[in-house]
Amino acid sequence: MNYRHAFHAANFADCMKHALLHALVAALARKPAPFRVLDTHAGIGLYDLQSEEARRTGEWRDGIGLLEGVAEGPLLPWLEVVRSFPRGTYPGSPALIRAMMREDDHLALCELHPEDAETLRAAYRGDPQVSVHRRDAYEALAALTPFPERRGLVLMDPPFEREGEYERLVAGMGSVARRFRPAVQAAWYPVKHRAPVRAFHDALRESGLRDVLALELWLREPTDPTRLNGSGLVVLNPPFGFADTARAILAALGAAFRTSEPGQGWTVTEIVPE
């Protein structure tokens, strides 16, 4: 309830998550049938990079700020959507997804923080294709799935403020898979040091889930648990060709975010085969 994403919007982890999210939504849109997206930790949708929160941390400068000159390559389709918004703003997942939807697609947004939920509700008031819910993310997984369209994406992006978040993600993904097998699921996680990430991947392997990829990008060797050294996204039921698209995106981000610290890199790993 204390987490406010405005302090971290458009940082390197956001850029990774949203570039990959763009690829997932674009894959859904390649088929004519309508789709729905459930965003369980939605935030406020669109972020002002000159706000007090963004200026206080300045994290966006080492994220989207390093991508201003990109004019070609695998990041461009996502960046073209980002650049369609007013200069000095950054579209979070709700705004990014909404910009990619067609007239029969739908978006369900969940946000528990009262002020952020009201901001989100005001942003999409009167939009018949978007519903906003102030409710717990994991409760929403049961309440809002399966989708009427029978196809779509569930995005889970918790702030990792509480203990047990990895366990909740595994349980939530398992619950959705049992209720709504065709759904694509994507869950973000921080990479601070290796032990929690290994345990998370092991729990996914032991859960009975199938067809799971883990995508990671790290700026330095993940050995300091006090720093956000990298960012990860697990994807269940990835669309055809997504793994190759993800490799291109991560390679481009790795080059753009090049640092002098040892251990920088990225990887696409099959956690559980199809």
Side-chain angles (χ1 to χ4, degrees):
M1 291 294 292
N2 294 320
Y3 181 83
R4 309 296 295 277
H5 191 66
F7 290 98
H8 312 289
N11 67 7
F12 84 92
D14 250 10
C15 291
M16 175 207 168
K17 174 179 61 186
H18 292 139
L20 294 169
L21 173 63
H22 179 278
L24 289 171
V25 177
L28 288 172
R30 282 198 290 267
K31 294 183 178 180
F35 65 82
R36 184 176 298 253
V37 179
L38 169 59
D39 185 346
T40 63
H41 299 78
I44 63 173
L46 186 66
Y47 295 90
D48 179 2
L49 298 183
Q50 299 305 313
S51 68
E52 179 184 351
E53 296 89 345
R55 286 188 286 108
R56 190 182 303 178
T57 63
E59 290 186 18
W60 66 270
R61 293 184 177 88
D62 293 323
I64 197 66
L66 297 177
L67 304 177
E68 291 183 354
V70 173
E72 60 182 6
L75 300 179
L76 190 59
W78 160 62
L79 288 172
E80 286 179 335
V81 179
V82 174
R83 293 165 183 168
S84 71
F85 288 85
R87 187 171 179 82
T89 65
Y90 180 81
S93 50
L96 176 67
I97 296 164
R98 184 64 185 94
M100 299 179 68
M101 286 164 45
R102 306 156 305 176
E103 63 180 12
D104 292 328
D105 302 326
H106 288 84
L107 174 60
L109 302 171
C110 296
E111 176 54 51
L112 193 57
H113 192 287
E115 293 177 33
D116 287 358
E118 185 52 41
T119 298
L120 197 64
R121 187 171 284 114
Y124 294 104
R125 185 171 289 121
D127 188 335
Q129 291 180 253
V130 180
S131 58
V132 178
H133 308 261
R134 187 188 166 204
R135 69 195 313 168
D136 175 77
Y138 297 105
E139 183 273 332
L141 294 177
L144 301 178
T145 64
F147 300 156
E149 297 83 358
R150 306 303 301 176
R151 63 187 299 262
L153 168 67
V154 176
L155 173 66
M156 289 168 268
D157 180 22
F160 282 83
E161 280 191 313
R162 299 183 295 160
E163 292 291 328
E165 201 72 79
Y166 285 112
E167 292 81 0
R168 282 187 288 273
L169 278 179
V170 174
M173 294 178 75
S175 172
V176 173
R178 289 188 294 274
R179 297 167 55 83
F180 187 17
R181 181 67 185 88
V184 179
Q185 297 189 60
W188 180 87
Y189 58 96
V191 180
K192 294 184 177 182
H193 62 118
R194 283 294 180 196
V197 174
R198 283 196 298 267
F200 177 44
H201 291 179
D202 287 344
L204 288 169
R205 293 185 184 98
E206 296 165 3
S207 68
L209 294 171
R210 307 296 300 171
D211 200 8
V212 183
L213 291 178
L215 322 169
E216 292 185 1
L217 171 72
W218 53 94
L219 303 185
R220 62 193 72 87
E221 190 67 30
T223 56
D224 184 351
T226 67
R227 301 180 71 185
L228 182 63
N229 298 304
S231 175
L233 192 76
V234 292
V235 179
L236 183 147
N237 289 338
F240 178 78
F242 174 73
D244 289 336
T245 301
R247 290 185 184 95
I249 288 171
L250 293 176
L253 288 173
F257 297 153
R258 181 69 59 192
T259 72
S260 59
E261 298 184 72
Q264 184 177 14
W266 60 269
T267 187
V268 175
T269 305
E270 185 182 66
I271 297 295
V272 188
E274 185 175 0

